[in-house]
């Protein structure tokens, strides 16, 4: 696939950066990247770490992040098969960014709830 010569601009409707942004900021993308910041994981371990994700969604998320160059899949030729997932340098950088936003969200949750209550109370 050819890359456009136009400067990336996430505000442009057809800018490819939008899709990459969607991948790293999706519900499961953020949580998978964050988990892999700690260490490498096998699929089943990662599924337990990222509570609530289905096998299908985890597999899809990992494939997408691997395709984008954020995750490295290391399949070892042993029996039973062993596959480990780790962050690439690009993935580590992305993970640090989205994990910072996730932690900020946790810290500001009370303020969000207060704002919601005020908003809902002001509506007829």
């Amino acid at each position: 696939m050819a890359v456009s010569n136009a400067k990336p601009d996430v505000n442009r409707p057809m800018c490819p950066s939008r899709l990459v942004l969607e991948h790293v900021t999706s519900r499961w993308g953020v949580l998978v990247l964050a988990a892999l910041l700690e260490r490498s994981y096998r699929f089943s371990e990662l599924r337990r770490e990222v509570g609530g994700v289905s096998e299908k969604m985890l597999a899809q998320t990992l494939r997408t992040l691997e395709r984008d160059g954020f995750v490295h899949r290391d399949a070892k030729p042993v029996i039973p098969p062993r596959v480990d997932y780790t962050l690439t340098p690009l993935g580590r950088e992305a993970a640090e960014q989205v994990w910072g936003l996730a932690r900020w969200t946790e810290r500001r949750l009370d303020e969000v709830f207060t704002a919601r209550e005020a908003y809902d109370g002001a509506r007829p």
Side-chain angles (χ1 to χ4, degrees):
M1 178 175 171
V3 177
S4 170
N5 289 335
K7 181 180 176 194
D9 180 352
V10 76
N11 289 313
R12 276 194 355 255
M14 298 305 290
C15 184
S17 64
R18 281 190 177 191
L19 189 55
V20 176
L21 182 63
E22 183 180 320
H23 295 166
V24 298
T25 61
S26 71
R27 176 182 186 181
W28 303 120
V30 169
L31 298 174
V32 166
L33 289 169
L36 291 172
L37 264 174
E38 297 174 17
R39 63 180 180 90
S40 66
Y41 280 93
R42 294 176 73 179
F43 186 89
S44 57
E45 292 176 316
L46 190 55
R47 184 160 180 238
R48 283 191 298 275
E49 181 67 21
V50 179
V53 66
S54 68
E55 282 188 35
K56 179 182 175 182
M57 284 308 303
L58 180 56
Q60 181 180 326
T61 300
L62 286 167
R63 271 193 305 275
T64 299
L65 294 173
E66 181 182 7
R67 182 171 185 249
D68 285 346
F70 298 121
V71 170
H72 174 71
R73 180 180 185 272
D74 183 21
K76 300 199 179 0
V78 295
I79 299 191
R82 179 181 173 104
V83 179
D84 292 300
Y85 295 91
T86 58
L87 291 175
T88 64
L90 184 64
R92 178 161 294 285
E93 186 178 346
E96 288 169 351
Q97 296 295 317
V98 296
W99 192 232
L101 178 59
R103 287 295 189 204
W104 175 86
T105 303
E106 291 172 339
R107 289 191 307 272
R108 298 301 192 182
L109 198 54
D110 286 342
E111 292 169 69
V112 171
F113 288 155
T114 299
R116 285 180 184 174
E117 288 176 13
Y119 179 88
D120 294 345
R123 298 193 54 85

